[in-house]
DNA sequence: TTGTAAAACGGAACCGCGTTCCGTATCGTC
DNA sequence: GACGATACGGAACGCGGTTCCGTTTTACAA
C-alpha cells in the first residue's frame, strides 16, 4: 500500500484504451505507466511530459493519446495506491482498539504515501486547471473513508464533532507539501499535532 | 550580484533603485508597485508579468529592471504587511493575558493575511526556484517572532516543548493554501485545531 | 539652450512546457 | 498482399518567465 510497484495496471478507466485490440496500444500503455513511475521517482510528478515520453521511447503524441492530460497520467500511476489506502480504512476500523486509533493509523498511511511522492501533495492542491482531476480523484476516493472514521470516532465520544472529512483531508494534504525537500520540516509531526487537536477537550 | 535584490537590504525602500536620481525611475517604481498590488487583488499573485506591465503602462523590460524576478515584486508589494505582522508579535505578548493567547492571536493575524492574498500561500511554498526568495523573506521575518512566542508559551508551561517555530510556520502557511478558492475548506479552523494541538496534555 | 553620456525604456526574441495537429507507419483483417 | 482503421512521432502552437538590444529620456554641463 505504499511506494514502488508502479507496474500494476489500473482498472479500465485508467487510460482510454486499456483493452484495445491492437498489441502496440496495450504495450505502450504499460510502457508509459512504467516510464512515468520511474521518472516521477527521480524527477517528481512535475516532470515534463517530454521526459516521460523519452523514458518510454515514444513521442509526446502517444502519451497524450493514452492520457489526455498530464494529470491523468499521474492518476493512473498512483491509482492503485490510493485505492489501497481507501480500502485500509474500514480494515483499520475493524482491527484497532478504538476509532481514534484507527483514524491515527489511517492518516499515517496517507501521509506516508504523500510524503514519499515528490511533489504529489503540491500538485494535488495546485489550482492549475489540469490538476483538478487529480485533486478530485483523491478526494472522491478518500473523503468517504475519512468521513466513516471520523463518524465512528465522534460516536465513540473521542473527538470533537465540528470537523468534517473534506477540510481535514485537504489540510492533511496541504501539510505534506514540501515535506520531501526540506529536512527541517516534519509533516508527520504536524499532522499528528493536528489529529491530536481533534480530541475532545 | 544576485544579492542586490530587494530581499535583505535593511533599507525601507522596496526595490533596488528606490533612491535613484532619475525621476522616471522613482515614478515607475511606484507605478509598478501600485499596478502589481491591483493585479494581485484581481488575478492573484500568479498573474503574468505582462499583465502587471500592461496595468502599469510600461514594458516588461522595465518591470525586470526594477524587480529582478517576479518573486521580488511580490515581496516588495507585501513587505510592509509582513513587517507589520512581525512587529505585532512582541506587542501581543505584552498585551495579552497569556503567551498562548498571544500566540493564538498572532497566528490569526498571519492566517488572515495569507488567506486574503490570492495564491500567496501556494506561491510561498512553491518549489519553483524563483520563489525561494519569497519563502525566505517570510520565514526570515516571521520565524524569530514565532520562536519568541513559542518560547514564552513553553516557559509558562502552556504548550508542549517539542515544536519549533520553523515547521510550525511552514505548516500554518501550508494550511492556508487554497483557502480562497474553496468555500468548503476553512483554513482558519484547521489552523486553530493545529494550535490547539500544541497545548500540553 | 543645446550637446552629450549614461541610464532607463519598450517590446521583440528566446527558452521551457503543456497540448494539438497531421502526415506517416503499423496493425488486424480479408 | 491489399486495405481501411488506428496509432505513432514530432513539428508546431500558445503561454509565461526572462533576456537582449536598439531607441528614448534624463541629468548635467557648456
Amino acid at each position: 500500500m505504499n511506494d514502488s510497484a508502479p507496474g500494476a495496471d489500473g482498472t479500465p478507466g485508467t487510460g482510454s484504451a486499456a483493452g484495445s485490440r491492437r498489441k502496440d496500444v496495450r504495450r505502450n500503455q504499460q510502457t508509459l505507466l512504467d516510464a512515468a513511475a520511474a521518472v516521477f521517482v527521480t524527477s517528481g510528478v512535475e516532470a515534463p511530459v517530454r521526459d516521460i515520453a523519452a523514458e518510454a521511447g515514444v513521442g509526446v503524441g502517444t502519451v497524450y493519446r493514452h492520457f489526455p492530460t498530464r494529470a491523468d497520467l499521474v492518476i493512473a500511476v498512483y491509482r492503485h495506491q490510493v485505492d489501497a489506502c481507501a480500502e485500509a480504512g474500514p480494515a483499520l476500523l475493524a482491527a484497532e482498539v478504538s476509532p481514534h486509533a484507527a483514524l491515527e493509523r489511517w492518516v499515517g498511511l496517507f501521509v506516508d504515501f504523500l510524503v514519499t511522492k515528490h511533489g504529489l501533495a503540491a500538485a494535488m492542491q495546485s489550482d492549475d486547471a489540469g490538476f483538478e482531476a487529480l485533486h478530485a480523484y483523491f478526494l472522491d476516493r478518500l473523503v468517504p473513508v475519512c468521513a466513516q472514521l471520523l463518524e465512528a470516532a465522534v460516536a465513540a465520544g473521542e473527538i470533537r464533532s465540528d470537523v468534517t472529512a473534506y477540510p481535514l483531508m485537504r489540510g492533511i494534504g496541504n501539510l505534506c507539501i514540501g515535506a520531501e525537500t526540506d529536512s527541517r520540516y516534519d509533516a508527520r509531526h504536524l499532522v499528528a499535532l493536528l489529529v491530536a487537536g481533534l480530541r475532545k477537550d
Side-chain angles (χ1 to χ4, degrees), chain A residues 54-68:
Chain A
E55 170 82 20
V58 304
V60 277
T62 301
V63 177
Y64 280 95
R65 192 158 321 88
H66 285 276
F67 305 96

Side-chain angles (χ1 to χ4, degrees), chain A residues 13 15 45 47 54-55 69 75 78 87 106 124 132 144 174 199 201:
Chain A
V45 298
E55 170 82 20
T69 185
I75 293 174
Y78 294 121
E87 282 153 22
W106 185 73
M124 215 171 52
E132 264 155 41
N174 276 355
R199 275 206 286 269
D201 297 320

